[in-house]
Every structure is written in C-alpha cells, then in structure tokens.
Amino acid sequence: MELRPTDALLIIDMQSDFLPGGPLAVAEGDVIIPGINALAQRFEHVILTQDWHPAGHISFASSHTGKQPFTDTVQAAYGTQTLWPDHCLQGTRGAELHPDLNIPHAEMILRKGFRRDIDSYSAFLENDKITGTGLAGYLRERKLNRLFFAGLAYDFCVGFSAIDGAKLGFESFVVEDLSRAVALPGTIENTNACFVSEGIQRISSASIAS
Ligand code: VGL
Ligand code: ZN
C-alpha cells in the first residue's frame, strides 16, 4: 500500500512503564521499538501518545483497598474499570517516552488519562465514552484522514484508539507486527472482533511501500 500526504501514524504509549522492567510491562514491548522508529521515518505526520496519570488515579489498584491489579475491577461512574499497577505517574521517569524511541519529527504528543476519576485507553475518547481528548478535532483541522496505529498495548490503548478513530470516520489501520498485547483473558479476541465490525484492517509494516 502507498502512503499519502494526508496519512498520520499514531504511536501509542511507548513509555518505559509499559516496557520490560516496568510495572505494567507488555511482553516484547521493547522488540517493536526499532521497527516503530523505521516506520515513522516513512510518515510525514507522526503523533505520539503518553498515558499520564495523577496520583490516586481510579485505574490504580492501589487507590482501592483490598483490590488486586489485572484481575480486579471497580465500578466507576461510567461502568466497569479494570485495575492496574501504578503506572505512568505524571512527571516520573516511567511515564517518559522510552529513550530508544527516536522520532524527532513527531508533530504532537497527546497526553491522556490525566483526570483522576476517568481512565482513558483511547486517544480520542476517555473511558466514559463522552469526554473527548481533542484529537479528532486536531486531525480534522489538519486534514489528516487516514490513520495507522502502532505501539502498546494492542488489546487496550492501541485497540481502543483504532476503534474510536474508525467510529469517528477516520480510515484506520493497525500495524500488527509493531504492537504487542497485555493479553488478559479474552482481550485480544475481543479486540480483533471489534476491528472486524469497525472495518479496521490489520496490516504488516512490510505491506507499507517505502
Ligand atoms: C494501557 C492499561 C492501562 C495501554 C494504559 O497503554 O494500553 N493499558 N493504561
Ligand atoms: Zn493507564
């Protein structure tokens, strides 16, 4: 497939806390860094996202007494929220984009998940499915209409971002070999089913012409 000047690459949450050694390490998250750097060079427009939580965030198991990360949930005002280890605390080293990520021409870094009582997997809509991040307006104003997603995690922030992107009218592709999953029970299967129903194509980085 040929890239167009109106394409954008969205690199989701390539932060130290999600990489091996971090509190919410995604298996092989580090393996995709060189490929992401190489793919980004082929895009004129690159947007990076950063999960960016305040202390006491609703998604932290530590914010709720007796709750365990990964397996336990809480009922938020907007519905069921999965709980995680503390991660991507605003201003910490672990919240920084990984130092091996090398995309100096990235045009925007979008932070999300900064409201204490609302998590935000998606780069477009927070988990209440109402609060917007402003990204859709930014992309429309810049006339970027085709979106390619890579990064972490396939079954959470990458998946939710691509699904919302498609729902908002952007033609959306997920670069599967440049993403890795948290893989809680059923999450990958659920993500793949949503990609099918939203018309999101899973592609390989090799299929993008250079
Ligand atoms: C993510 C869980 C919690 C992600 C962020 O980037 O996929 N997952 N916060
Ligand atoms: Zn998070």
Side-chain angles (χ1 to χ4, degrees):
M1 112 191 283
E2 297 282 339
L3 292 178
R4 306 170 184 163
T6 51
D7 289 341
L9 177 63
L10 277 79
I11 306 292
I12 307 297
D13 297 1
M14 289 300 292
Q15 297 161 266
S16 297
D17 277 351
F18 294 126
L19 293 166
L24 218 174
V26 178
E28 296 185 354
D30 52 339
V31 168
I32 64 177
I33 295 176
I36 287 178
N37 288 338
L39 183 63
Q41 286 185 22
R42 288 149 59 187
F43 279 80
E44 188 177 338
H45 306 294
V46 182
I47 292 159
L48 311 174
T49 70
Q50 224 177 356
D51 210 37
W52 197 249
H53 300 311
H57 192 250
I58 190 168
S59 77
F60 296 170
S62 66
S63 303
H64 311 274
T65 41
K67 295 285 189 181
Q68 299 299 315
F70 300 109
T71 48
D72 288 351
T73 59
V74 284
Q75 284 311 118
Y78 50 81
T80 304
Q81 171 66 49
T82 297
L83 296 175
W84 305 103
D86 290 18
H87 64 280
C88 299
L89 200 64
Q90 295 172 0
T92 61
R93 287 291 294 271
E96 288 174 16
L97 296 167
H98 192 274
D100 293 343
L101 204 68
N102 184 17
I103 314 178
H105 67 295
E107 294 170 353
M108 184 193 206
I109 300 175
L110 180 98
R111 288 173 170 170
K112 61 183 180 61
F114 48 75
R115 291 185 171 80
R116 197 195 61 176
D117 297 322
I118 316 178
D119 200 7
S120 189
Y121 295 145
S122 163
F124 292 96
L125 278 181
E126 303 196 14
N127 287 11
D128 62 359
K129 303 290 179 198
I130 299 166
T131 308
T133 64
L135 181 58
Y138 173 86
L139 293 168
R140 286 187 189 125
E141 186 167 340
R142 303 227 23 231
K143 299 187 165 50
L144 301 171
N145 51 31
R146 235 175 33 158
L147 308 180
F148 294 74
F149 295 87
L152 302 172
Y154 181 82
D155 44 349
F156 285 92
C157 292
V158 172
F160 278 66
S161 296
I163 290 161
D164 282 345
K167 284 184 172 159
L168 288 161
F170 298 94
E171 195 179 347
S172 298
F173 301 85
V174 173
V175 186
E176 208 169 11
D177 56 308
L178 298 181
S179 186
R180 289 293 185 275
V182 175
L184 297 185
T187 54
I188 295 176
E189 295 81 355
N190 186 46
T191 300
N192 289 339
C194 290
F195 285 176
V196 171
S197 49
E198 296 304 330
I200 297 164
Q201 288 185 56
R202 289 150 58 186
I203 62 167
S204 80
S205 55
S207 73
I208 301 173
S210 49

